[in-house]
Every structure is written in C-alpha cells, then in structure tokens.
Amino acid sequence: ANVVTLIRQGRCTLLSALQQQQIMMLECIITAFTLSALSLEGARSSQRQMMASSWLIMIASLSFSYSKPVDQLHRVRPLNSLFHPAVFLSMLGQACIHLFCMSYAVKLATETMGEAKLQEVVEFHKRDDEAEAAAAAAIESGAEEEEWDFWSMWEKPFLPNLMNTVIFLVETAQIIAILFVNYKGRPWMNGLMENHSLFLSIFLCVALVATCAWGYFPALNTLIHLEPFPDDAFRWQVMGLVGASLVGTFVWDRVVVAIFAKPIFSAMVDNAKKTTLNDLKPILMTLLKVVGGVILLGSGNILLWIGAFYAYRRFFRQPSA
C-alpha cells in the first residue's frame, strides 16, 4: 500500500511539474508579445488592469499547484517529457493560435482608433514619463521623500484607449485558456471540477472578460480604465478572438494528444464520461460560500459575522467521528 501511495504521489508531482512548465512557457510568450505590441504603439498597461486580472489569475495558479492525486492507481502512465510530441506540438500549436489572435486584435484596435488617437496616447505617456522623471530627480536631491504604497500605484494617471482595452481582455482570456487547456487532471490527480478554487477562478475570469466587453457595469469599466467599444460588431469580433483562443487551443491540444498519446486520450475520455450533474453540486456550494463570505465582509456587521460563523459550524461542518 505504501508503494502504491508513493507511485500515485510521484505521478501527481510529475504531471504538475510538467504542466507548470507548459504554462510558464506559454504565458511568457504571450506576455512578451503583448508588451512588445503595446511598446511599439507607444502605449502601456494600466496598473489597475494588471491588479484586477492578477488577483484571480494568482488564485488559479496557486490552485493549480495544490492538486491532489486520485485514490486509485491508473494503469496508464502520464507523459514525462516536454519534448514528447504530444506535449511539444501541443505547446507549439497553442502558441501559434494565441499569437495569431493577439496580432489580429492589435491590428483591429489600431485600425479602429486611427493615427490621431494613437498619437494622443503616445503624447499622454510622454508627459507622464516626464513627470515621473521630475519626481525622481526631486527625490534624489532630497527635496521630496519617496512614498510607495498601494494607493500611489492605484491612482497612477492613465489614459483609457481602445487598443489597451482589447489587449487586456484578450490577454486575460488567453492566460485563462492556458490554465484550462493544460490542466489534465484525471486519471492521475483531481480533475478540474474537483479543484473548486481553480474552476471558480477560471470561471470568474471568463465572466469578468465578458462583463467588461459588454459593459454591463460601466462603473467597473471606468474603475479599471477600460474604453467602451464603438459598436456591437467590434465587440463580437473581440469576443470571437477570445472564443478562438479558448476553443481553438483546447481542440488542438486534445487532437494532438489523441494522435501521439492515444492511451492517455482514451483514459481522459473514459473519465469525462463518468462526469454527471451531481459533480456540480460541490462547486455550487463552494461558490455560495464565497459569495456569502464576500457579502458578509462587505456588510461590516460584526454580529452578523459571528452569527454566520455559528451557522457554518452548525450546519455545514461534518460531525467528528
């Protein structure tokens, strides 16, 4: 039994390490291309945008690394090398799909903005850089004291523009697609629907992108420096790129696995067939707890906190054996 447990833990560790390397490489490629595209047009990302997306992505990444092995040892072994065709070709295809979607998004945004708007963004950032250089010179001379805190970053001046908004939404969706596609889960470790924090963070990120694209909450878009889209046709084009990144990379990865690692693909399909609607109940309960916790913390009522804690201990916690 100890040997079987050791093998299960080893397979889970091996698969987690392999998937983390895939995710790291793909995220680096997307981030490098995004920064290059913004830099070439004289633009940059907003501090608020990076904070908004990083919180949920950080939760998803942490949840990814805390996966647990399944209870039973499966007869199929996981892949153990990045240079296996099923892994290498999958990463290559995913990178091509993401880069194509991002390059098309940049072209779409720049053509819609026009030269005048792009030049306005460039001039704004030039003035901001000059102000920062003057402030840094004052700090070096001792005329002012250096202050770095959360609010100084949050209140940093930024000019919302269409290109920045499009790149932010597409990039966020692509990073979530990388986590979603490359998390294999069963039959060696808990599946995506069993990893509640990972599933919910991915779902919330996709919901955030759709909500911001359609502008359901204008105050939220203003808060994180997003420019409204000019019309529905433009909006559907951007969401089409988001869908292409999510669906296209998923289909490509599974096709490559089916061709070059057929036993693994068969094992994944067999486990997927066992999924039922009852598997959604634990996720919904976790979602309700998270929403309830946010509402309680936002109320600021200590008595309500105590009552909720008592109710949780009374109705949700399992009795000790």
Side-chain angles (χ1 to χ4, degrees):
N2 292 335
V3 174
V4 173
T5 301
L6 182 63
I7 295 175
R8 289 192 296 108
Q9 292 282 358
R11 286 183 173 182
C12 180
T13 303
L14 171 65
L15 189 61
S16 296
L18 185 66
Q19 292 175 162
Q20 288 283 10
Q21 293 175 45
Q22 290 179 264
I23 290 170
M24 180 180 64
M25 286 187 285
L26 289 170
E27 285 183 352
C28 287
I29 292 172
I30 292 174
T31 303
F33 185 86
T34 301
L35 293 175
S36 300
L38 288 171
S39 179
L40 287 173
E41 299 297 339
R44 62 188 61 173
S45 297
S46 165
Q47 296 285 353
R48 297 187 185 185
Q49 293 171 4
M50 290 189 288
M51 291 179 189
S53 61
S54 295
W55 288 338
L56 289 174
I57 292 173
M58 178 186 65
I59 294 173
S61 299
L62 288 174
S63 304
F64 195 102
S65 61
Y66 280 96
S67 301
K68 298 179 181 179
V70 294
D71 297 329
Q72 295 182 349
L73 181 66
H74 200 272
R75 65 180 183 275
V76 178
R77 297 180 181 180
L79 301 177
N80 57 8
S81 173
L82 283 172
F83 297 101
H84 190 284
V87 177
F88 183 78
L89 293 178
S90 173
M91 287 195 302
L92 186 62
Q94 289 181 59
C96 291
I97 293 172
H98 288 315
L99 293 180
F100 171 78
C101 292
M102 182 60 74
S103 61
Y104 187 85
V106 172
K107 179 182 177 183
L108 178 66
T110 52
E111 289 179 353
T112 305
M113 287 181 66
E115 291 295 332
K117 285 287 186 181
L118 289 172
Q119 188 61 33
E120 182 181 349
V121 173
V122 172
E123 294 298 329
F124 174 85
H125 288 300
K126 281 184 178 180
R127 292 193 298 269
D128 185 52
D129 290 340
E130 292 173 357
E132 286 187 357
I139 291 172
E140 289 181 0
S141 63
E144 296 182 6
E145 294 185 359
E146 184 175 9
E147 294 184 2
W148 289 99
D149 54 23
F150 172 81
W151 291 111
S152 65
M153 297 177 63
W154 184 262
E155 297 297 334
K156 183 176 175 62
F158 185 80
L159 179 63
N161 57 86
L162 194 60
M163 184 178 66
N164 169 265
T165 300
V166 170
I167 290 179
F168 167 73
L169 295 178
V170 175
E171 182 188 16
T172 302
Q174 289 182 344
I175 292 176
I176 289 303
I178 291 172
L179 293 169
F180 170 69
V181 172
N182 294 285
Y183 184 86
K184 296 299 191 293
R186 285 186 174 272
W188 306 286
M189 60 186 186
N190 288 343
L192 181 63
M193 297 181 67
E194 295 170 297
N195 194 333
H196 297 172
S197 54
L198 177 61
F199 180 86
L200 291 176
S201 56
I202 289 177
F203 174 79
L204 289 175
C205 275
V206 175
L208 173 66
V209 170
T211 300
C212 293
W214 262 273
Y216 290 126
F217 303 103
L220 175 63
N221 287 23
T222 303
L223 184 66
I224 58 177
H225 295 152
L226 296 181
E227 179 82 2
F229 287 161
D231 50 44
D232 285 338
F234 186 89
R235 182 176 293 108
W236 278 111
Q237 282 183 289
V238 174
M239 292 307 296
L241 295 174
V242 170
S245 290
L246 286 167
V247 179
T249 53
F250 179 83
V251 172
W252 171 260
D253 176 77
R254 297 309 187 260
V255 168
V256 171
V257 172
I259 295 173
F260 295 100
K262 191 173 182 180
I264 292 178
F265 181 76
S266 299
M268 293 169 61
V269 171
D270 292 339
N271 279 275
K273 291 179 179 179
K274 298 177 183 178
T275 304
T276 62
L277 292 177
N278 290 330
D279 296 326
L280 292 174
K281 291 181 180 179
I283 298 176
L284 294 176
M285 290 300 299
T286 302
L287 178 60
L288 290 175
K289 292 177 184 178
V290 172
V291 172
V294 171
I295 294 174
L296 287 172
L297 291 175
S299 68
N301 191 328
I302 299 179
L303 294 178
L304 196 59
W305 296 353
I306 296 173
F309 178 74
Y310 174 78
Y312 175 78
R313 289 177 60 88
R314 177 69 177 81
F315 297 105
F316 289 102
R317 291 191 64 177
Q318 297 293 333
S320 58

